[in-house]
Amino acid sequence: MLYTGRGLASGMSSRVPAAMIRGLFVKVDPSSPVFVKTGAGSLSLKAGAVVEVAGRAFRTTVDEAVVMPTLTAGSDYAVYVCADGTVRADASFSAPIGYTTANSRQIGGFHYGLIAAGTTIDGGSGFRSFSQLTRSGTTTSGSAMITGLSQTSDLFAGLSVAGTGVGTAAVILSIDSASQITLSVNSTASASVTLTLTNSGLAWTQAQVDAIAGINGYSLWDLLWRPSSPDPRGMALVSGLFWSDIYLLGINHITVGTSASGQTIADGSSLPKIPVIFGGDGSKTYSGFRWHVANEVLANYAKTTPTSQQFPVLSYGVQENTSCSTDPVTTQHQAGFTSLWGIEQAVGCMNTFGERGGPYSAAAWTASSSGRGTYYDAPSVGVYGGRWDYAALSGSQCEFWASTLATASNNLGARGVCRHVNLGGGL
């Protein structure tokens, strides 16, 4: 129960006129959200927070546990302070169950992601625990060097072999029944051998997996710490710099927003609905999914496509140099393609639109396919990440600058980003 009454500030009492505290929201640490993740499915409102609800100011003297509903993977929740002094999360963004807007106040929220509570670093989850290991010496019998791989193809996802005293042809790499990499050196090796196996992706720690398992710790937002988009659902703060949609843009963004789980991905074959402000009626779709269309849809939510500076950061942590092999069709978790910030299908699943400004295409007048003007000598469009059949070409630094403004494809989608807003310690 939150405290209310005397002690809110020097000389302040419960009789202070409501007009003096209306809209009050204060937190002790302006450099972080007002909530702290305490478990895969639990949050607390930090000590020292002051929140006005229904004309009364409530203050936390200790971290206050948020009362949680049954949490569903891939869903967004708002957090409220209620007039009875409780702090509650609810799937409704109007008021928690049993309360109204008159006796509750929304102060923030979070996303409960698709990484299950208790997920560990292993091949099945896609979070690799190795980056570089070295073995010295000569042996004809293998010994386990790397564990947690589920299939042989995992071995070659960004993995390279280098060393002294032996060529790579003399190295035997395999995965045994215990899902371990076994390294053997055959008889052609010299007497002194040093081998280094390196994977170019992130060597995940369990703490990093825990940060996005269940409640995505990077998705926490409050009234002062939030994305610049008015719709914070399904977004995560990337490296403290900007917010990214966790999921690829879906065709039904009008009802679920631009970032939602289990949605049909918008691409050249599955066309998104037209926002009302741009002439839509709630059901009408675009005639194609090109760069202009992707940015028009995202602009409706005060978002843009990422730049070539932003994309490698938001997608860092994925399994590099590999792809998911088949068209994913829907927004989902696919092992190995989740970034450090919990961004799903970040690479190797769908190419995504980026900025303009690459090499210029052929100089010619080209009419817009939507009938909205004609462009001349237009710069190429950046496409990032790699599609499902790109295999070794995909990765967090994959860029393709040969697409034009007219390019549309069933393997080319979009993801929204926006600025980070930090309004300080209080309203």
Side-chain angles (χ1 to χ4, degrees):
M1 181 75 71
L2 274 66
Y3 172 83
T4 184
R6 293 184 181 277
L8 291 177
S10 178
M12 185 180 291
S13 75
S14 58
R15 297 179 181 177
V16 174
M20 294 183 62
I21 62 171
R22 184 171 295 125
L24 187 67
F25 178 76
V26 178
K27 58 183 183 179
V28 173
D29 181 11
S31 64
S32 66
V34 74
F35 310 110
V36 59
K37 179 179 176 179
T38 56
S42 59
L43 286 180
S44 287
L45 179 62
K46 293 178 182 177
V50 181
V51 183
E52 178 270 329
V53 183
R56 301 170 66 194
F58 293 84
R59 183 183 66 178
T60 52
T61 56
V62 296
D63 287 3
E64 183 78 17
V66 177
V67 179
M68 291 289 185
T70 300
L71 299 172
T72 302
S75 300
D76 290 278
Y77 296 87
V79 178
Y80 301 86
V81 173
C82 301
D84 59 6
T86 59
V87 187
R88 299 177 177 275
D90 199 279
S92 169
F93 274 64
S94 297
I97 294 175
Y99 297 80
T100 68
T101 55
N103 59 16
S104 66
R105 183 183 179 192
Q106 183 186 131
I107 61 169
F110 62 90
H111 184 76
Y112 191 77
L114 301 180
I115 310 301
T119 296
T120 57
I121 304 171
D122 58 43
S125 67
F127 301 113
R128 303 296 190 268
S129 60
F130 64 88
S131 62
Q132 180 168 305
L133 300 97
T134 300
R135 177 192 174 93
S136 297
T138 302
T139 179
T140 55
S141 61
S143 58
M145 294 187 66
I146 302 172
T147 63
L149 298 182
S150 62
Q151 56 187 354
T152 305
S153 61
D154 291 338
L155 177 61
F156 302 102
L159 193 68
S160 61
V161 181
T164 60
V166 63
T168 56
V171 179
I172 303 170
L173 297 172
S174 61
I175 296 179
D176 63 17
S177 59
S179 297
Q180 298 175 327
I181 287 185
T182 298
L183 180 148
S184 300
V185 180
N186 69 20
S187 58
T188 64
S190 65
S192 178
V193 177
T194 299
L195 292 172
T196 300
L197 283 72
T198 303
N199 180 64
S200 58
L202 170 70
W204 285 77
T205 66
Q206 189 59 51
Q208 289 169 329
V209 176
D210 292 342
I212 61 174
I215 295 172
N216 183 329
Y218 300 105
S219 72
L220 303 180
W221 61 275
D222 63 42
L223 297 176
L224 301 169
W225 177 279
R226 56 171 296 137
S228 58
S229 170
D231 186 358
R233 293 176 298 171
M235 301 198 79
L237 180 60
V238 175
S239 195
L241 296 173
F242 62 93
W243 291 77
S244 171
D245 281 351
I246 293 171
Y247 305 101
L248 293 164
L249 176 67
I251 63 174
N252 293 313
H253 58 88
I254 291 176
T255 55
V256 299
T258 64
S259 179
S261 171
Q263 300 297 306
T264 299
I265 298 169
D267 57 31
S269 298
S270 301
L271 302 174
K273 291 182 171 61
I274 304 173
V276 173
I277 194 173
F278 293 115
D281 59 6
S283 61
K284 187 191 308 182
T285 64
Y286 285 96
S287 60
F289 190 66
R290 301 167 299 280
W291 185 87
H292 283 118
V293 170
N295 279 277
E296 187 168 283
V297 171
L298 293 173
N300 189 58
Y301 304 88
K303 300 178 184 181
T304 66
T305 52
T307 66
S308 56
Q309 290 82 20
Q310 292 172 325
F311 183 81
V313 182
L314 73 86
S315 58
Y316 179 69
V318 297
Q319 181 179 339
E320 305 281 3
N321 308 310
T322 190
S323 64
C324 68
S325 301
T326 58
D327 186 348
V329 182
T330 61
T331 55
Q332 58 185 283
H333 170 67
Q334 293 183 270
F337 304 106
T338 304
S339 80
L340 179 64
W341 326 103
I343 310 304
E344 298 288 4
Q345 297 170 303
V347 308
C349 298
M350 291 284 292
N351 281 316
T352 52
F353 282 114
E355 62 193 308
R356 289 174 57 184
Y360 280 76
S361 57
W365 284 104
T366 304
S368 167
S369 58
S370 60
R372 292 166 57 182
T374 303
Y375 51 85
Y376 182 82
D377 201 24
S380 295
V381 172
V383 171
Y384 307 139
R387 64 197 192 199
W388 64 83
D389 58 347
Y390 261 21
L393 299 181
S394 297
S396 60
Q397 294 181 3
C398 171
E399 297 185 22
F400 180 73
W401 287 92
S403 295
T404 70
L405 293 175
T407 299
S409 172
N410 69 334
N411 56 47
L412 181 53
R415 189 185 305 273
V417 298
C418 68
R419 294 182 299 104
H420 174 48
V421 173
N422 182 5
L423 298 178
L427 291 174

